Amino acid sequence: QVQLVESGGGLVQAGGSVRLSCVASGRSFSRYAMGWFRQTPGKARKFVSRISGSGEFTDYADSVKGRFTISRDTTKNTLYLQMNSLKPEDTAVYYCARSRNYYGTNDAQNFDTWGQGTQVTVSS
C-alpha cells in the first residue's frame, strides 16, 4: 500500500513563501492524481490543489489561485506545493493525498491515501 510523508511546514511571515513536499511510496506514482488539502481546528478538510497523473492538468481553489503552484517529480516519487504571497488565512495543517483515478476531483472522497500532515503558520 502507498504511504505519503509531508514535510516543509513551519512559521512564515505574511507575504513570504514556503514549499511543501510529499514523498510517496509505491510503484504507480505517475498513474494517479495527487492533491493537497488543508484543515484548521474545528473545521472540515478543504481542497487546495490537485494534479493529474502525468502532470498535464492542474486545478486550484479560488482562494489560492495565482499564489500556489502544484507540481510532481516522478524520478523522486515526490509531490510539491509552492506557496507564495502567504496570508494569515493560509494557516492550517496541510495534507497530501493520492486519488483513486488519473485526474482526481476536488472532493476528499476521491482520495484513498493520506499523509500525516504538516503545519503551516503565517504570522501578520
Side-chain angles (χ1 to χ4, degrees):
Q1 295 183 352
V2 66
Q3 293 184 335
L4 306 175
V5 180
E6 301 100 332
S7 63
L11 178 64
V12 62
Q13 187 176 354
S17 298
V18 170
R19 188 178 76 158
L20 305 182
S21 299
C22 174
V23 179
S25 65
R27 301 178 180 179
S28 302
F29 180 70
S30 64
R31 297 180 63 184
Y32 301 96
M34 299 287 291
W36 289 97
F37 293 76
R38 64 188 183 186
Q39 187 170 28
T40 55
K43 296 184 178 181
R45 192 167 298 181
K46 295 183 178 180
F47 169 77
V48 176
S49 185
R50 61 179 163 128
I51 185 168
S52 61
S54 296
E56 79 277 12
F57 172 83
T58 59
D59 189 31
Y60 300 89
D62 288 343
S63 60
V64 307
K65 196 169 297 181
R67 299 188 297 119
F68 291 10
T69 302
I70 190 171
S71 62
R72 62 196 300 167
D73 184 342
T74 58
T75 67
K76 298 180 179 180
N77 279 10
T78 302
L79 175 74
Y80 302 98
L81 184 68
Q82 178 67 46
M83 304 188 294
N84 299 327
S85 301
L86 284 163
K87 305 174 180 180
E89 51 263 45
D90 294 318
T91 296
V93 177
Y94 284 73
Y95 298 88
C96 67
R98 193 190 82 161
S99 174
R100 300 178 185 274
N101 52 52
Y102 185 84
Y103 285 102
T105 71
N106 62 0
D107 189 338
Q109 292 295 316
N110 180 251
F111 296 80
D112 60 7
T113 306
W114 297 81
Q116 83 289 345
T118 185
Q119 176 72 43
V120 175
T121 302
V122 184
S123 65
S124 60

